Amino acid sequence: MSRARRRRERVLEQLTELRELPLGGAPGAAFKERLRAELLSGALEAEPEPAAERARRDLPRRRPLLSQLAAVGLAAALMVSSFATYQAVPGDSLYPLKRAAETTLVHLSPGEAERAERELDSAKTRAKEVASLLGSSADGPLVKKTLKDMEESTRSGISRLERAEPRSPKIKKFAREQEETVKPMLQELDEDQLAQAEGYLDYIEGLVAPE
């Protein structure tokens, strides 16, 4: 396995751990220490070679390496920034970074099935965010937007998963979990929000219907 691929997989693992933290949760000391060690390890691996060694390499070969290091560095920076964004909810200034981290996870995932599961994870997160927004002073448009994002992630994730793993039991499992999360919110939604949520429930209930 190439060095660039190993780094890419380490970044993916770290982002996944951050992605799975509950809203309001904080990364533990062990995670922080492991991240620090990973970043230090990457820095040491990227130290300049001795002059005699560098002379053997031409510029075209150095440029791809620099590009790889830049990409890994960007992902690592995003990962570190996630310490401040993992508990963000819609309306927070750091919320766009949280969504960017989720998008990064989808793009870094190696296969269609895994990308589908990342998108379904995002849909679950949107449902939890809706619950956290209910009752706040700015819940109206934010709830509507988050419900819309939840449905878009769900439909995209389900489409990917149906292509990668036809009749996958993961689809019914996801639908049941989402139903348990969304249904208790219905009594707290206004008319427009309720129509969105009920339409979403109709869609996911169709995913668990007997074939």
Side-chain angles (χ1 to χ4, degrees):
M1 182 185 298
S2 69
R3 179 180 299 175
R5 183 175 178 183
R6 287 198 301 272
R7 289 176 181 166
R8 178 175 175 271
E9 292 187 352
R10 287 202 299 267
V11 169
L12 180 57
E13 289 170 3
Q14 301 284 8
L15 281 171
T16 299
E17 288 192 50
L18 283 173
R19 174 67 179 76
E20 292 174 351
L21 286 169
L23 289 179
F31 175 84
K32 293 178 182 179
E33 179 59 27
R34 189 165 67 256
L35 175 59
R36 186 186 68 82
E38 290 284 359
L39 294 177
L40 286 176
S41 173
L44 289 174
E45 289 177 5
E47 284 183 348
E49 296 175 340
E53 292 295 328
R54 291 200 303 271
R56 297 178 186 176
R57 301 180 183 274
D58 55 17
L59 184 59
R61 291 188 62 186
R62 286 201 300 269
R63 283 178 175 168
L65 175 59
L66 291 173
S67 298
Q68 291 172 357
L69 291 175
V72 171
L74 179 61
L78 177 61
M79 181 169 54
V80 173
S81 298
S82 295
F83 284 140
T85 63
Y86 54 83
Q87 60 181 345
V89 296
D92 291 347
S93 60
L94 293 176
Y95 185 70
L97 287 179
K98 177 180 178 178
R99 297 298 300 272
E102 292 180 355
T103 300
T104 300
L105 272 173
V106 174
H107 291 319
L108 286 177
S109 299
E112 187 77 349
E114 191 169 347
R115 284 191 287 272
E117 291 184 52
R118 301 292 185 195
E119 290 193 292
L120 296 182
D121 284 343
S122 292
K124 293 179 187 178
T125 299
R126 301 290 84 79
K128 293 174 184 176
E129 289 169 354
V130 170
S132 72
L133 287 170
L134 293 176
S136 68
S137 58
D139 70 348
L142 290 177
V143 167
K144 290 185 66 175
K145 176 66 165 59
T146 308
L147 285 170
K148 180 175 181 292
D149 291 345
M150 177 181 69
E151 181 162 355
E152 289 177 351
S153 292
T154 297
R155 289 183 179 275
S156 177
I158 292 297
S159 294
R160 285 182 186 272
L161 195 53
E162 286 178 335
R163 290 194 300 269
E165 300 178 6
R167 299 184 180 180
S168 171
K170 297 173 187 175
I171 294 176
K172 290 187 176 181
K173 182 176 183 293
F174 165 82
R176 292 191 181 101
E177 290 175 351
Q178 281 293 86
E179 187 176 22
E180 291 174 0
T181 302
V182 175
K183 273 190 173 180
M185 305 177 194
L186 297 182
Q187 59 187 1
E188 301 183 58
L189 302 176
D190 65 26
E191 186 175 349
D192 289 341
Q193 297 164 356
L194 182 61
Q196 280 183 282
E198 287 180 336
Y200 179 77
L201 287 171
D202 287 343
Y203 168 63
I204 62 173
E205 285 171 0
L207 299 175
V208 300
E211 296 182 0

